[in-house]
Amino acid sequence: MFTFLTAGESHGRCLTAVIENFPAGVEVAAADVDRDLARRQMGYGRGDRMKIERDACEIFSGVRERKTLGSPISFVVWNRDWVNWEKVMNPEDNDPEQAAGKRITNPRPGHADLSGALKYGHTADVRNVLERASARETAARVGVGAFARALLRHFGISVCSHVIALGEVEAPAWSPESGTGLSRISELADRSQVRCLDKEAESRMIGRIERAKEEKDTLGGVFEVVVGGVPPGLGSYTNWDRRLDARLVRALVSIPAVKGAEVGPAFDNAHKPGSHVHDEIFLRRAGEPMSGHPGPFYRKTNRAGGTEGGMSNGEPIILRAAKKPIPTLMKPLWTVDLSTGEPVQASTERSDVCSLPAASVVGEAVVAIEIARAFLESFGGSNLLDIDANYRHYLKRISGGHER
Ligand code: EPS
């Protein structure tokens, strides 16, 4: 099983990740990882921290001449802000005055601060919690995601994302009928400051962020992740923990501040009769192009969001994730001072007004990781050539006898 671990505090020296059981022979250059790291740093509404950081990965092991070796992969993303925190976040000695100046005892409502401080015994300084509970961690996951994407790319599987709601401003969700291909979604979203495909909604979103900034408030929203080129049968109906839809939702909700996720229009479907929800099945004619849908069957609609019975069904996988507004408010809410028990205003450490566009890129990464895992479970081998052979055999088998 391809697994990974990330480590690192937001204002520590670096973020790091170790990836295990990743097959040999996958082409990955540091520049591929850096491209995704840079995309995660963009977005209207981010705070001054992103002006300091220029995220780039330094690969330490598991890759040689831009090809994975099959051995553990490790990489580091250095925090440029470290120079400002060396005397506060040092694993050895800190400057007592500087560390005291950065001590936090007023936990923010909506953040990990309070529960984390109680759980790990950090009530004397909540910084010990928030440094790791920071969304900075997602830079490492985006790095891991870049490796997963490199594997998927080889098999024609691509992952893209865009923002469909920011605060109360909404933009259309993607549907195959829209005629916008997946690479076009990426292109347009990457060009937009809020990753929104709709120009009119984009400018209203930017205006909304401006207003939130003036009001010293924060905003969340909804982003959509679409995966194309997925073969039918990833995941499994045989056991609860192998269900692909459940795994993808879990992956999305593991992103800080993401509180809900759905596969396809799940919440809308819940209000409709079955005849308006399920996608009729058609057989492709011999020689008919697959148009990015591996396998012999296809649907004219995709209301299931590309999964049925806990497995991919060969249609694009469509996921939506809801992110709550960031808890660090410049006009703070009330809380309790953990050192005195007195009511106080919550801490107002520098933060973003809205990090939804960044979360959307993180969404691509966590989804790519989960799809890559499910792919390797079905077709896995230690070397890409073996996986390739397994996959081709599978596609041939599922097409067998069905061509007209
Ligand atoms: C974050 C607070 C801000 C964000 C940070 C997440 O950092 P700082 O306190 O240094 O200004 O910029 O996000 C990142 C650093 C990042 O790379 O995404 C928080 O409290 O979660």
Side-chain angles (χ1 to χ4, degrees), residues 133-206:
S134 164
R136 178 88 188 128
E137 182 271 341
T138 61
R141 267 196 280 174
V142 166
V144 176
F147 282 85
R149 294 169 93 111
L151 172 82
L152 296 177
R153 197 178 307 126
H154 180 86
F155 297 100
I157 301 174
S158 60
V159 185
C160 63
S161 75
H162 64 122
V163 163
I164 58 170
L166 193 151
E168 56 280 77
V169 184
E170 294 192 347
W174 179 79
S175 77
E177 297 89 64
S178 71
T180 312
L182 266 58
S183 58
R184 184 82 181 133
I185 298 179
S186 280
E187 207 182 298
L188 292 174
D190 283 352
R191 263 197 246 144
S192 161
Q193 291 192 83
V194 283
R195 298 195 66 73
C196 180
L197 308 185
D198 184 287
K199 280 280 152 209
E200 196 266 329
E202 176 191 56
S203 69
R204 283 195 294 132
M205 286 175 182
I206 290 173

Side-chain angles (χ1 to χ4, degrees), residues 10-11 40-41 46-50 53 55 81 85 108 111 130 133-139 328 349-352 358:
S10 181
H11 303 103
R40 193 201 70 93
Q41 284 202 268
R46 303 221 68 188
D48 289 344
R49 177 74 185 271
M50 288 305 110
E53 302 300 341
D55 291 344
D81 208 10
W85 291 82
R108 289 160 293 178
H111 207 275
L130 63 90
S134 164
R136 178 88 188 128
E137 182 271 341
T138 61
T328 312
E349 188 148 308
R350 172 189 65 188
S351 186
D352 310 317

Side-chain angles (χ1 to χ4, degrees), residues 30-327:
D32 298 329
V33 183
D34 291 351
R35 203 170 304 121
D36 281 347
L37 292 176
R39 292 198 308 125
R40 193 201 70 93
Q41 284 202 268
M42 293 189 306
Y44 200 84
R46 303 221 68 188
D48 289 344
R49 177 74 185 271
M50 288 305 110
K51 291 185 189 135
I52 301 174
E53 302 300 341
R54 298 275 178 284
D55 291 344
C57 96
E58 197 168 329
I59 298 172
F60 279 104
S61 70
V63 182
R64 189 171 184 213
E65 293 179 343
R66 287 176 289 282
K67 270 198 179 170
T68 56
L69 297 173
S71 48
I73 297 162
S74 60
F75 67 82
V76 152
V77 178
W78 301 105
N79 288 328
R80 285 167 62 128
D81 208 10
W82 167 246
V83 292
N84 304 314
W85 291 82
E86 246 177 286
K87 305 269 172 55
V88 176
M89 289 301 297
N90 207 294
E92 298 286 325
D93 298 320
N94 283 308
D95 177 275
E97 215 171 291
Q98 284 191 39
K102 292 290 187 189
R103 194 167 81 100
I104 289 176
T105 54
N106 45 347
R108 289 160 293 178
H111 207 275
D113 296 354
L114 179 58
S115 303
L118 295 173
K119 179 176 170 74
Y120 288 95
H122 293 319
T123 49
D125 190 357
V126 175
R127 177 161 304 285
N128 291 334
V129 175
L130 63 90
E131 282 289 338
R132 180 62 185 160
S134 164
R136 178 88 188 128
E137 182 271 341
T138 61
R141 267 196 280 174
V142 166
V144 176
F147 282 85
R149 294 169 93 111
L151 172 82
L152 296 177
R153 197 178 307 126
H154 180 86
F155 297 100
I157 301 174
S158 60
V159 185
C160 63
S161 75
H162 64 122
V163 163
I164 58 170
L166 193 151
E168 56 280 77
V169 184
E170 294 192 347
W174 179 79
S175 77
E177 297 89 64
S178 71
T180 312
L182 266 58
S183 58
R184 184 82 181 133
I185 298 179
S186 280
E187 207 182 298
L188 292 174
D190 283 352
R191 263 197 246 144
S192 161
Q193 291 192 83
V194 283
R195 298 195 66 73
C196 180
L197 308 185
D198 184 287
K199 280 280 152 209
E200 196 266 329
E202 176 191 56
S203 69
R204 283 195 294 132
M205 286 175 182
I206 290 173
R208 186 65 191 88
I209 294 171
E210 279 298 313
R211 181 148 67 85
K213 193 173 180 185
E214 275 163 31
E215 292 168 353
K216 299 182 187 303
D217 220 326
T218 57
L219 292 168
V222 181
F223 62 84
E224 186 170 74
V225 179
V226 184
V227 193
V230 187
L234 296 192
S236 176
Y237 61 89
T238 59
N239 275 303
W240 69 271
D241 55 347
R242 314 217 179 130
R243 297 182 76 97
L244 186 68
D245 42 10
R247 291 162 54 171
L248 292 169
V249 167
R250 173 182 131 139
L252 286 167
V253 178
S254 77
I255 300 170
V258 171
K259 294 287 113 187
E262 63 176 348
V263 182
F267 284 89
D268 280 351
N269 283 349
H271 303 291
K272 293 178 182 168
S275 55
H276 288 66
V277 168
H278 302 299
D279 305 303
E280 290 178 312
I281 301 171
F282 299 90
L283 183 61
R284 212 181 300 281
R285 284 175 217 282
E288 210 175 319
M290 286 210 199
S291 63
H293 300 53
F297 302 100
Y298 70 97
R299 321 295 170 104
K300 290 181 181 167
T301 54
N302 184 2
R303 296 175 290 217
T307 75
E308 285 167 312
M311 295 164 294
S312 54
N313 66 4
E315 296 299 315
I317 294 180
I318 306 173
L319 304 152
R320 291 185 197 115
K323 185 177 187 293
K324 69 180 180 182
I326 287 167

